[in-house]
Amino acid sequence: QQLICFNRASFSSNMKGEGSSLCYLSGEIVVNEANFVRKCIGAESCQDDLWGKLVCTNFKVSFISHNSLPRQRFQCTHRLLGEHDIPLACVEQVVTVNDVKGKQKILGSNQKLKFNPTELILYCKDFRIIRFRFDEAGPESAKKVCLAIAHYSHPADPQLLFGFEYVGKRYHGSAGEQVNGVDPGGGMQTPLFDCSSDWDREIKRTGASEWRVCTINQGYFISPSLPEFFVVPVSLADQDLKQYACFFYSQRIPLWCWNHSSGSALVRMSNISDPQQQRKVEQRISSAITKSHPLRSDVFKSDLDKTLPNIQDIQAALLKLRQICVIDPFEESEEKWLSSLEMINDLLYSVWVCTENEDRDLSCVISCLVQLMCDPHCRSLHGFQGLIQKEWVMAGHRFLDRCNHLKKNDKEESPVFLLFLDCAWQLWNQYPAAFEFTDVYLTVLGDSMWVPIFSTFLFNCPRQRAENSRDFASSKSIHLGQDQALRFPPVWDWSQQFSLKDQTLFNNPLYVGKIATCVQNGTVKTFTHRRSKKNYSSTLRGLPSAFRNGSIGPNDTLARRNSLVLRLRSDLSQVREQQETPSERFIRDFFSRPVDLQGLLLPQLLPSHLSVWKLYFLRWVPEAQIPQGGPITTFHKLSVLTDEIEMLQNQLKQYKGAGGTPNNLHVEPSKMYFKSSSTPHQPPAPPEYLSSSFPFSPVGNLCRPGILGTPLSKFLNGAKIWLSTETLANETF
């Protein structure tokens, strides 16, 4: 008891210093807090747990640690969030537990808690499961902080999201005038497509001479979910568009997305709501799109509602992935990560229109993927950001509903944007040198959805942002400037979140762009990369000439990094006598050519070519935190070999009479442990290494119960630990 009191007194004095130095964002206030809280790192023992203060603000859940672990050298620092901070928008579920009474309750907004919680479990949307214990905390303070987290993570109105408090202050703009919100500055090169000039530049960049910027939706007069400016065929008059708008769902008339160098266009639109007018309107729209093509090619129409899964299917797939990554015992089995993908059609030589009921979900995915595969500009950093701004933000993807920021309707929740990022990563993984950005950038972009201050992921459409801005300003007596809206920062202003040093992690050193710069004798020179036959892809670039319909010849293999070699029976190679379709011929010819990183990129869709996006999905799983990277199967095999070597050494010592493990003691194999003796001349120091979760390296923030840290990290420290995993024992290497 004396020891506990001494620790609590020492803890209080230290925490006072820590709390006073804690920085809060503009508009952030502390709602409630609890002292003497233990953050659980492992469920079976508390020796590695962290002690500190649990704080709930109107923006995040913070844990201010009294004995925080040393920061790794290779770790990214977030300017808005600390190492142990969780944005309230990232909290999926709040669960309170009372061990004594054996009770637990899922808390929502404005709910009562009849028992004193001894444990708090936060289930997060980024796959974290974080546990706090209140063994030494006061019961009332523990209950209050739990209720505060549950209440503030379930806002009832968009204007209660922290982003409004964050931007509802006065700042000085670039010209010295006072403005509301965050001034993005003049250095950001990403077009926001909120003005006609951005669309004009995009028309000129793609050579879409038969298309024009339309302004009939200014003030959102025609459609509430469309932007004020968009692009339509030159042959369609404004009066015709106004007449046809009422026949489409949500008045979402056809939107131009992109033009290929051949003159072909990509167009997206919602379905026609009036069956009696469907044929007439479709003919008029198709005729106008056909006239925009130099060869007057026919329109190819794809109904996404019939060919692709709905948002509920996508949400169900995410829940299954979460079970594999977090809930079920972790097992890196490639078969569990694979999904069936359909081969795309050749879209380069015909006008293509993708339709969806409301044109706000999978149309965004398909239109972006087509441009990502066909247009090298979209694979640059600013081109990719402009692509998302144009096809997702301004086109009215329901970020507020799909991210479920208000937690009002779970049926509307679906990770559609995360699905696109995963598809982009699959393409990046196969052609890394074709992209200016890294997979770290994609991971950071996915995380930014849960930091609710950016207009990019905060609203369902531009009109909702404008209306809520005016209403919030009116309720808070905030004077709006010439924009007549609060200035929410776009996520593309990365200086809001990361330093320039950390932003260098976004730049891909393997990138082979059209034009690169170099400095020679103090002079900046530019040169153009020529087509090279070198294989920059992490997978096999070309398929064997005999490949067709998923079969390979007896002498052909499909080698892939970190994957088993795909071998099929030789008799399957005989099933090749069917007539080749034009699409199959195009695919075969495409994969037989040398790599052109500035041309068309088609994804390789065989199961052996697909892999899991580990940096995003598995960064909180201790079993996957392998120093220097690598799969868990390799780590397991090394552990088994280490066990075997130790047993053989003991037997050899016993045979030579040098002692060792007696015969009657059974050494259990395959326990995934390493044993190492520390160097006598070297003082102990924290290990500095790159893990599979670089650059995040969530030291002390791992979330799986029953795991005491990372095996190899403690092995590098000279400790002997063990990790029992029955599932991994059956894996193959």
Side-chain angles (χ1 to χ4, degrees), residues 485-702:
L486 296 175
R487 289 192 181 185
F488 286 86
V491 73
W492 319 126
D493 184 9
W494 291 108
S495 60
Q496 296 272 336
Q497 300 185 68
F498 301 101
S499 66
L500 290 176
K501 180 181 177 181
D502 287 340
Q503 289 179 54
T504 57
L505 294 168
F506 298 170
N507 301 321
N508 184 5
L510 301 177
Y511 176 59
V512 179
K514 272 188 174 181
I515 299 178
T517 59
C518 66
V519 179
Q520 185 176 357
N521 297 327
T523 304
V524 178
K525 297 185 176 182
T526 62
F527 62 93
T528 303
H529 290 280
R530 296 180 179 178
R531 174 182 286 191
S532 172
K533 292 186 178 181
K534 183 176 180 181
N535 181 7
Y536 291 97
S537 176
S538 62
T539 62
L540 185 67
R541 171 58 182 85
L543 292 180
S545 57
F547 177 80
R548 188 181 303 166
N549 295 331
S551 302
I552 60 176
N555 299 322
D556 293 327
T557 58
L558 295 177
R560 175 186 176 272
R561 183 188 63 183
N562 292 342
S563 173
L564 298 177
V565 176
L566 178 63
R567 300 183 181 277
L568 300 179
R569 293 180 300 177
S570 58
D571 56 345
L572 291 179
S573 63
Q574 305 299 324
V575 190
R576 297 200 198 95
E577 303 303 327
Q578 300 177 5
Q579 185 65 30
E580 212 174 29
T581 65
S583 294
E584 289 175 332
R585 188 182 307 113
F586 175 84
I587 297 296
R588 176 176 57 81
D589 293 341
F590 173 83
F591 282 112
S592 64
R593 295 198 305 262
V595 178
D596 180 10
L597 297 178
Q598 293 302 315
L600 173 67
L601 300 183
L602 287 185
Q604 302 182 48
L605 303 179
L606 287 178
S608 61
H609 294 140
L610 303 179
S611 57
V612 69
W613 186 6
K614 296 182 182 178
L615 183 61
Y616 189 84
F617 293 114
L618 301 181
R619 56 198 154 142
W620 312 116
V621 182
E623 299 97 316
Q625 308 306 309
I626 307 300
Q628 311 301 332
I632 190 65
T633 47
T634 305
F635 175 65
H636 175 238
K637 188 65 176 180
L638 290 175
S639 302
V640 174
L641 292 175
T642 303
D643 287 332
E644 187 176 354
I645 290 173
E646 184 182 26
M647 286 189 295
L648 291 175
Q649 285 177 339
N650 281 328
Q651 292 178 8
L652 186 61
K653 289 179 182 179
Q654 188 178 23
Y655 178 76
K656 292 182 177 180
T661 304
N663 281 329
N664 56 353
L665 290 181
H666 175 66
V667 180
E668 292 188 24
S670 304
K671 285 295 183 182
M672 293 192 72
Y673 71 86
F674 283 92
K675 182 173 66 177
S676 173
S677 58
S678 57
T679 308
H681 304 291
Q682 266 189 339
E688 294 185 345
Y689 55 85
L690 301 181
S691 73
S692 304
S693 63
F694 172 80
F696 302 96
S697 303
V699 179
N701 209 6
L702 301 175

Side-chain angles (χ1 to χ4, degrees), residues 128-402:
R128 275 183 289 179
I129 300 178
I130 303 178
R131 299 170 54 245
F132 299 99
R133 296 284 304 180
F134 302 112
D135 302 328
E136 300 294 328
E140 283 301 315
S141 62
K143 178 186 292 187
K144 288 180 180 179
V145 76
C146 291
L147 291 172
I149 294 173
H151 178 73
Y152 278 84
S153 62
H154 292 72
D157 187 84
Q159 296 177 30
L160 295 177
L161 293 169
F162 175 71
F164 285 89
E165 294 291 342
Y166 181 70
V167 303
K169 306 294 179 183
R170 293 191 178 275
Y171 297 86
H172 288 280
S174 56
E177 78 280 7
Q178 285 191 333
V179 296
N180 296 106
V182 180
D183 186 7
M188 195 178 65
Q189 304 175 22
T190 300
L192 299 181
F193 293 97
D194 56 353
C195 57
S196 59
S197 58
D198 287 345
W199 290 101
D200 279 325
R201 279 190 290 268
E202 185 69 4
I203 289 176
K204 293 176 181 178
R205 186 189 72 82
T206 59
S209 58
E210 297 298 320
W211 298 80
R212 66 179 179 89
V213 180
C214 179
T215 60
I216 63 172
N217 201 41
Q218 279 190 290
Y220 308 101
F221 179 74
I222 299 297
S223 174
S225 61
L226 286 181
E228 292 188 284
F229 307 96
F230 49 86
V231 176
V232 296
V234 170
S235 59
L236 272 180
D238 287 352
Q239 191 61 35
D240 294 334
L241 292 172
K242 293 178 181 178
Q243 178 183 352
Y244 298 147
C246 61
F247 299 130
F248 291 90
Y249 278 101
S250 301
Q251 296 79 48
R252 292 181 62 89
I253 54 183
L255 297 177
W256 173 86
C257 300
W258 172 77
N259 251 56
H260 187 257
S261 56
S262 65
S264 301
L266 176 65
V267 181
R268 51 185 287 191
M269 67 179 185
S270 64
N271 290 327
I272 297 175
S273 57
D274 190 347
Q276 296 180 353
Q277 299 291 334
Q278 182 170 0
R279 184 172 181 180
K280 175 185 174 182
V281 175
E282 280 188 350
Q283 285 181 347
R284 182 66 182 94
I285 297 297
S286 298
S287 175
I289 296 175
T290 299
K291 290 179 181 179
S292 69
H293 193 275
L295 301 179
R296 302 297 190 263
S297 296
D298 293 334
V299 172
F300 174 82
K301 180 183 175 183
S302 177
D303 190 343
L304 302 184
D305 286 331
K306 295 180 179 179
T307 58
L308 295 177
N310 56 38
I311 60 170
Q312 287 80 18
D313 295 332
I314 298 174
Q315 177 68 7
L318 178 71
L319 296 178
K320 292 181 180 178
L321 181 62
R322 181 177 297 170
Q323 288 179 342
I324 297 175
C325 292
V326 178
I327 300 175
D328 290 346
F330 175 74
E331 179 179 7
E332 191 194 57
S333 175
E334 289 192 2
E335 290 77 9
K336 287 190 176 182
W337 300 105
L338 305 181
S339 59
S340 58
L341 299 177
E342 296 293 335
M343 185 66 74
I344 65 169
N345 292 318
D346 176 20
L347 309 175
L348 298 184
Y349 305 108
S350 62
V351 182
W352 195 57
V353 176
C354 51
T355 64
E356 189 180 19
N357 194 33
E358 275 199 308
D359 181 42
R360 304 177 71 176
D361 288 303
L362 292 173
S363 291
C364 306
V365 178
I366 298 301
S367 61
C368 280
L369 288 180
V370 171
Q371 296 173 67
L372 200 61
M373 291 185 291
C374 298
D375 191 347
H377 172 74
C378 297
R379 301 193 284 268
S380 66
L381 183 62
H382 293 295
F384 185 75
Q385 295 180 167
L387 177 68
I388 295 174
Q389 185 72 24
K390 171 169 63 87
E391 300 294 338
W392 291 82
V393 182
M394 301 309 295
H397 176 66
R398 300 176 182 269
F399 279 107
L400 185 68
D401 295 338
R402 298 297 178 251

Side-chain angles (χ1 to χ4, degrees), residues 112-129:
K112 294 183 179 180
L113 187 59
K114 296 183 179 180
F115 57 82
N116 294 324
T118 58
E119 183 177 3
L120 170 67
I121 307 175
L122 299 180
Y123 293 88
C124 303
K125 295 179 180 179
D126 61 1
F127 286 27
R128 275 183 289 179
I129 300 178

